[in-house]
Amino acid sequence: MIPVRGYGGQRVAVLGLGRSGLAAARALKAGGAEPLVWDDSPEARAKAEAEGLALHDLTRARAFEGVAALIVSPGIPHLYPAPNPIVAHALAEGIPVDNDIGLFFRSFATPEWNRFDQPPKVIAVTGSNGKSTTTALIHHVLQVAGRPVQMAGNIGRGVLDLDPAGDGAVVVLELSSYQTELARALTPDIAVFTNLSPDHLDRHRGPGGYFAAKRRLFAEGGPDRAVIGVDEVEGRFLANQLSEGPGDDRVIRVSSGTKLEGPGWSVFARKGFLAEWRKGRQVASIDLRAIKGLPGAHNHQNACAAHAAVRSLGLAPKLIEEAFHSFAGLPHRSQLVAERGGVRFVNDSKATNVDSAAKALQAFPRIRWIAGGLGKDGGIAALAPHLDHVVKAYLIGHSARDFALQLGDTAHEICETMEVAVARAAAEAEPGDTVLLAPAAASFDQYPNFEKRGEDFTARVQALAAG
């Protein structure tokens, strides 16, 4: 646990008692504060009370008397589309509003660090797509290198559940826009921006607000090194703002598909090969084509970002390449779950928007595509340029019929359920085909989350393989 510093002897309200909220309350208590906790859910309140945490009804008119700050869980809106009423009350009263990420950055460093030979480092990863894989890949490479490393944030553990840092330790954080937008402290040593595509636009009142939330990690944080994906205009703009000129190697530009030239520091992938350039010459190269845990151009972009981040810590390219080969990938993110009769079955349930689905559709040559769920604005119309690898689509969930209308001449079948879709795709697949779950939609029509959807796909594939 990371005890929260700066609130000793003070009352701090905590709204939302999921993983991050409970961890924040415990860490506040460990740091000498008096956490006052609340959640709309009676079950969540009962769980907190059973831990000995003090319930405090934040819906009451004078709930913030004597309260030093309000700590808000990421899923609770504080600005758009409208502030949660409790947050609005705190804003009106002038109570500082923060989240667990802000508490972490104000509390992670301690006086004990003065005795360390190597000060601990924090690598923070944000972006629209690929941030989980990039975070996990950085963590894996550092583990293989023998560095003491922990992973947390939007993946793995809550940030305040981490162990205090030791000599030379590294913490790798995945941070969503919900987390970066509100944190009052953001001070990573290395910050990574993977890419940007439209998502969570209601929460941020449009693409500008969404980009601004991501940008805070760099503008507010002032990292020593910034790794920036420059395949979109927002990334190029961000890299330009952070750099003092073309040769400023505090900014490492990353691309999948574009050769990056110039006197600065860059890492890019083309035709399956990663290349690192610095001061106008190539200093490293990795053949990514045979790395099973990183299929497709989108994963090659993740590999470039991870390579750049760990190179910033001084790791050798040869060691990084060896670690890449032992990376198994993450569940629900281009995860190879089975091979049967020359047919691959790939679970990319995390592809919940058209941009991530497009990347998955470009990763394999012949695809039996399982798609559908609770569609987002625009459906899958934007995927039309990426359907050339699709042999046939098998559509499930609430938006199956709407998706069918947007597929044009692409062969398709409305299957409704995962059970039917997997059975039909497996029955029709030929050697060399990939049965790909890349829904391009949310899961909430049939599943509580994308993980459960991916687990259902995996279980049905494994049942076929067993049969």
Side-chain angles (χ1 to χ4, degrees), residues 424-435:
R424 294 290 300 141
E428 296 181 350
E430 301 174 356
D433 287 357
T434 297
V435 177

Side-chain angles (χ1 to χ4, degrees), residues 1-8 12 23-24 26-33 71 98-113 116 120 122 159-165 171 173 183-187:
M1 181 187 299
I2 307 292
V4 173
R5 298 160 60 86
Y7 286 114
V12 179
R26 296 181 196 117
L28 283 160
K29 192 173 183 179
I71 309 305
D98 204 349
N99 61 15
D100 62 326
I101 304 302
L103 295 182
F104 168 83
F105 277 110
R106 71 179 287 165
S107 307
F108 185 52
T110 66
E112 287 75 18
W113 288 21
F116 294 164
V122 176
V159 292
L160 294 170
D161 272 336
L162 291 170
D163 300 324
V171 167
L173 302 179
R184 295 172 72 90
L186 284 168
T187 53

Side-chain angles (χ1 to χ4, degrees), residues 239-272:
N240 183 274
Q241 284 202 311
L242 296 172
S243 173
E244 293 297 325
D248 186 351
D249 67 2
R250 294 173 303 169
V251 176
I252 307 177
R253 290 169 172 82
V254 166
S255 174
S256 175
T258 300
K259 183 177 181 180
L260 301 176
E261 299 177 310
W265 196 349
S266 63
V267 182
F268 59 88
R270 294 184 71 201
K271 299 179 180 179

